[in-house]
Amino acid sequence: MATQDELKQQVAKAAIEYVKGGIIGVGTGSTANFFIDELAKVKDRIDGAVASSEATAQRLRGHGIKVFDLNDVDGMEIYVDGADEITEKLHMLKGGGGALTREKIVAACAKDFICICDQTKLVPVLGKFPLPVEVIPMAREYVARELVKLGGQPKLRDFTTDNGNVILDVHGLTITDPVALESRINEIVGVVTNGLFASRPANVLLLATADGVKTLT
Ligand code: ABF
């Protein structure tokens, strides 16, 4: 039976079919890293990439792939990234790697979000994985109190984001309406971004299973 890493590699390979040229938006995390390694094999097909984190930029450059500043790019056809959880409606919970804000910004600039996951990430309801919320440091305690009012148990992560902010991981949520919760959390003053990617879900989910890579749209 394939290991989780082998499944991630299979799905990363499958995503290359969506790489037609131009500039590719690239996510963060171990599945995205496998995608970067596959992208390197077809790098002559593309002009370059926009990275969703410093770690991704470094890996792309290590493969000789040109990294563009998002402000110098006039949109992208695709953004390829993993997720911590995803539903059949293609609503995602992301940010376990701490790059959620840049991921959401780069994804917003792409026509299609291609989500690449192994089968363990597909869930009926989001929230078992703690929901990351990026917060301006001085607002940390205020935002934490507001998140408790929403029924969550926020825990400060020992981590500073690429944007110099902190992350509260919110435990104990059962997210039955991810679109509403995404916008409710964004209304809390001091919140930069939350890890729900629901108002703009993925366009395509490539899911690696024991029976091969399945495509959900
Ligand atoms: C990024 O990578 C994040 O939003 C998510 O937290 C994580 C998934 O990581 P992995 O592919 O390592 O499971 O997409």
Side-chain angles (χ1 to χ4, degrees):
M1 211 168 74
T3 64
Q4 196 175 5
D5 270 357
E6 282 164 350
L7 291 177
K8 288 178 184 183
Q9 202 162 9
Q10 283 169 22
V11 79
K13 215 176 264 233
I16 293 298
E17 270 193 39
Y18 291 79
V19 176
K20 307 286 184 214
I23 296 170
I24 311 299
V26 182
T28 299
S30 61
T31 319
N33 280 345
F34 281 119
F35 173 70
I36 295 168
D37 299 345
E38 292 300 323
L39 192 61
K41 298 178 190 164
V42 297
K43 65 181 176 190
D44 295 340
R45 210 192 277 178
I46 61 170
D47 297 324
V50 173
S52 62
S53 64
E54 299 298 339
T56 287
Q58 220 177 344
R59 195 175 186 98
L60 286 162
R61 287 195 190 101
H63 280 303
I65 298 172
K66 183 170 178 187
V67 177
F68 286 84
D69 185 301
L70 183 62
N71 290 312
D72 296 331
V73 168
D74 192 16
M76 285 158 280
E77 284 299 310
I78 58 166
Y79 173 74
V80 181
D81 199 357
D84 298 305
E85 290 181 342
I86 185 162
T87 68
E88 279 184 348
K89 287 188 176 166
L90 308 195
H91 293 143
M92 294 167 284
L93 189 156
K94 291 172 50 55
L100 60 160
T101 298
R102 295 192 185 192
E103 289 174 355
K104 214 178 255 197
I105 294 169
V106 181
C109 298
K111 215 159 90 192
D112 285 329
F113 189 130
I114 316 292
C115 184
I116 51 174
C117 289
D118 66 83
Q119 58 195 3
T120 63
K121 307 292 183 70
L122 185 64
V123 297
V125 182
L126 301 175
K128 199 164 174 199
F129 192 97
L131 175 65
V133 180
E134 180 165 350
V135 177
I136 301 283
M138 75 171 286
R140 187 189 73 209
E141 290 304 313
Y142 167 70
V143 172
R145 289 193 293 274
E146 293 300 304
L147 290 168
V148 168
K149 289 182 195 164
L150 295 179
Q153 295 131 32
K155 288 206 173 67
L156 182 65
R157 197 188 297 185
D158 184 15
F159 179 78
T160 302
T161 70
D162 283 350
N163 314 306
N165 297 316
V166 296
I167 289 189
L168 294 171
D169 289 308
V170 189
H171 297 249
L173 295 171
T174 303
I175 306 170
T176 49
D177 189 346
V179 176
L181 188 65
E182 180 179 0
S183 96
R184 178 67 194 85
I185 294 176
N186 284 342
E187 283 168 9
I188 303 171
V189 176
V191 167
V192 179
T193 323
N194 70 79
L196 288 170
F197 287 54
S199 66
R200 193 270 156 94
N203 300 90
V204 176
L205 166 61
L206 298 176
L207 188 72
T209 74
D211 305 323
V213 176
K214 295 189 174 152
T215 305
L216 281 78
T217 53

